[in-house]
Amino acid sequence: MGSGGDAPFNSKFTIYVVACWILAAFGGLMFGYDIGISGGVTAMDDFLIKFFPKVHERKLHAKEDNYCKYDDPLLQLFTSSLYLAALVASFFASKFCTILGRKYTIFLASLFFLGGAGMSAGAHHKWMLIIGRILFGIGVGFGNEAVPVFLSEVAPVQHRGAVNILFQLFVTIGILIASLVNYNTSTLHPYGWRLSLGLAGIPGVVLFFGSMILTETPASLIERGKDGKGKSALKKIRGVDEVDDEYEEIKKACEVAKQVKQPFKKLMKRESRPPLIIAIMMQVFQQFTGINAIMFYAPVLFQTMGFKNDASLLSAVITGSVNVLSTCVSIYAVDKCGRRVLLLQACFQMLISQVAIGVILLVFLNNTGTMNSSLAIVVVILVCTFVSSFAWSWGPLGWLIPSETFPLETRTAGFAFAVSSNMLFTFLIAQVFLSMLCKMRAYIFFFFSAWILAMGIFVYFLVPETKGVPIDAIAERVWKQHPVWKKYMDNKDDNGGMKAVEMA
């Protein structure tokens, strides 16, 4: 039952541990709500009149170019500034995770998110909007760093994939709730947009009180020298008293971790490259599927295709619903089918969807006027097939795989690179998508299609299967067995010499 065998450690479901999973996953709901809310708010006339009147004038212009009516750097900065703040915050969050633990880092995330909700909802100037977005961003950086690591560390190995995907499920629920909120507040003039932004405080409140109930993870407690509390926490989250085997494995990993005084420097070593490269590239590819371009600006995108404002918001609700339901498929399939099967299948489905959308827009959507309503519905269906495949694969697995593949000594530092990479490329997509749509027009979908093809090749040759492998046995049973990555795990440092540190 140790790391060398295939049998899982003793555990059983309890109400308390399920509550911990759900409460922690509210960090994902905060993130998802913000992804979904910004696109709908930027499509609201009252919001544009107050902060971006020039954009509103272009929107009303009957002959305005369909692809360029929303092209405004400051409008895009409203959406993207959050992710730039999250990028920086993720590195500070890594330190907080190590020093204070996962539980208190989640608590801090809720405070920043509450501050962001208050500032955004009460904004009267653009600078207030941006500060509110930055506070949101810090909260996202802290939450996205701590929550997936927390979920991976408290989940039993046989259910780790499903438990970790709760984070992404709540992200999709947040996006759906935001779409429903926008659909209903768009008719509340002139302050509907304030209500949309202010309601972000509700998941923040849940996470604030929920973080007080959460137990700290055993790995974090033992890593900080609190062995007794760590073993008690392990018994509590496993629901059984016989935890000696798992406790010893965690303790062994912690003893190795204590020898690493500078985890970020350790990440630059040869043996750390496989999980680091995978973690970063998973985030790059996740964003270059084009998913957040669609989820951020779904109402704007559907208006471009000729839908009226209410219809475009309703279409965003439909895609949000597909997103949630498809993520539930991943929760069921990830620990049965494995990670690689889901990733490869999704690449095929997303490629077909993106190419088809690009062809339809290229042929049938002129610079002015609207698209035939039947074809517009076809595009919505294609968007749904794209979103569904992403939601059961690259969405949740983009967070799961980095959270489970780093050893304990570099786990929070390595995951900080994953989070920051995600935020960097989310920022870039959010900041330039509307301008790219204006310049590239329908060809933007072919741009994303090329990236999806590259993703499939990357997964096929370089992404290992981690289904059913204990989190602290990944190095031995995954990296050292992989045909490409095993050469990085040859027990030699970058200068070719043998490592000085003996494994415990």
Side-chain angles (χ1 to χ4, degrees), residues 33 36-52 55-56 59 70 75 178-197 299-300 303 309-310 312-313:
Y33 186 88
I37 210 69
S38 56
V41 167
T42 54
M44 292 183 187
D45 289 342
D46 294 324
F47 177 81
L48 293 175
I49 290 169
K50 184 168 182 62
F51 295 108
F52 303 97
V55 177
H56 184 254
K59 178 181 176 181
Y70 288 96
L75 180 62
S179 299
L180 290 168
V181 168
N182 282 334
Y183 181 69
N184 286 282
T185 60
S186 63
T187 59
L188 300 178
H189 306 290
Y191 298 123
W193 63 271
R194 292 191 187 276
L195 184 59
S196 289
L197 294 174
V300 173
Q303 282 189 25
N309 191 55
D310 287 350
S312 68
L313 287 171

Side-chain angles (χ1 to χ4, degrees), residues 128-169:
M128 296 178 72
L129 273 181
I130 301 302
I131 289 178
R133 298 292 290 177
I134 289 172
L135 289 173
F136 273 137
I138 297 173
V140 166
F142 274 65
N144 286 20
E145 168 71 20
V147 171
V149 172
F150 175 92
L151 291 173
S152 285
E153 290 184 344
V154 300
V157 60
Q158 67 270 31
H159 302 300
R160 188 176 65 239
V163 171
N164 191 279
I165 288 172
L166 282 175
F167 175 78
Q168 181 65 19
L169 175 63

Side-chain angles (χ1 to χ4, degrees), residues 30-299:
M30 293 195 311
F31 182 35
Y33 186 88
D34 194 82
I35 289 175
I37 210 69
S38 56
V41 167
T42 54
M44 292 183 187
D45 289 342
D46 294 324
F47 177 81
L48 293 175
I49 290 169
K50 184 168 182 62
F51 295 108
F52 303 97
K54 291 182 180 179
V55 177
H56 184 254
E57 285 297 319
R58 287 208 304 270
K59 178 181 176 181
L60 295 177
H61 201 286
K63 298 298 182 182
E64 184 61 49
D65 192 320
N66 275 324
Y67 290 99
C68 298
K69 66 176 75 173
Y70 288 96
D71 180 21
D72 184 274
L74 284 177
L75 180 62
Q76 293 173 98
L77 184 62
F78 166 72
T79 296
S80 66
S81 57
L82 179 149
Y83 304 97
L84 196 59
L87 187 161
V88 177
S90 63
F91 288 102
F92 291 96
S94 169
K95 285 291 185 183
F96 277 96
C97 265
T98 300
I99 297 170
L100 297 179
R102 291 43 159 166
K103 170 188 171 84
Y104 288 106
T105 306
I106 293 172
F107 172 76
L108 289 172
S110 70
L111 293 181
F112 283 115
F113 216 81
L114 288 170
M119 179 65 78
S120 298
H124 289 281
H125 306 282
K126 286 181 182 177
W127 65 265
M128 296 178 72
L129 273 181
I130 301 302
I131 289 178
R133 298 292 290 177
I134 289 172
L135 289 173
F136 273 137
I138 297 173
V140 166
F142 274 65
N144 286 20
E145 168 71 20
V147 171
V149 172
F150 175 92
L151 291 173
S152 285
E153 290 184 344
V154 300
V157 60
Q158 67 270 31
H159 302 300
R160 188 176 65 239
V163 171
N164 191 279
I165 288 172
L166 282 175
F167 175 78
Q168 181 65 19
L169 175 63
F170 274 66
V171 171
T172 62
I173 292 172
I175 293 171
L176 175 59
I177 291 173
S179 299
L180 290 168
V181 168
N182 282 334
Y183 181 69
N184 286 282
T185 60
S186 63
T187 59
L188 300 178
H189 306 290
Y191 298 123
W193 63 271
R194 292 191 187 276
L195 184 59
S196 289
L197 294 174
L199 287 175
I202 293 178
V205 169
V206 174
L207 195 66
F208 175 83
F209 289 106
S211 62
M212 299 178 185
I213 299 172
L214 299 177
T215 183
E216 185 55 89
T217 70
S220 177
L221 289 166
I222 296 169
E223 184 182 25
R224 289 180 286 137
K226 302 177 181 180
D227 292 15
K229 290 184 177 180
K231 192 167 188 178
S232 297
L234 188 59
K235 291 179 180 180
K236 193 172 185 179
I237 63 172
R238 293 293 177 256
V240 296
D241 291 327
E242 301 81 17
V243 296
D244 289 345
D245 291 325
E246 186 173 7
Y247 172 76
E248 289 301 324
E249 184 163 289
I250 294 172
K251 192 171 181 180
K252 185 187 298 183
C254 289
E255 287 170 357
V256 174
K258 286 177 183 177
Q259 298 176 46
V260 179
K261 304 301 181 184
Q262 296 178 303
F264 283 100
K265 186 176 180 179
K266 170 74 172 176
L267 274 176
M268 300 301 110
K269 296 292 186 180
R270 179 182 176 87
E271 68 272 13
S272 296
R273 289 174 194 165
L276 183 62
I277 291 171
I278 295 292
I280 291 174
M281 292 309 297
M282 287 292 292
Q283 308 310 313
V284 174
F285 286 135
Q286 188 191 71
Q287 295 311 307
F288 278 94
T289 60
I291 184 63
N292 276 342
I294 288 174
M295 300 312 294
F296 286 150
Y297 300 114

Side-chain angles (χ1 to χ4, degrees), residues 331-368:
I331 290 176
Y332 173 79
V334 67
D335 289 314
K336 297 183 183 299
C337 302
R339 284 62 162 154
R340 282 170 51 86
V341 169
L342 292 178
L343 291 172
L344 290 170
Q345 183 280 330
C347 285
F348 180 74
Q349 187 170 324
M350 287 190 295
L351 181 63
I352 292 175
S353 300
Q354 287 278 36
V355 170
I357 292 170
V359 169
I360 291 173
L361 294 185
L362 184 65
V363 176
F364 297 103
L365 181 64
N366 297 321
N367 292 345
T368 58

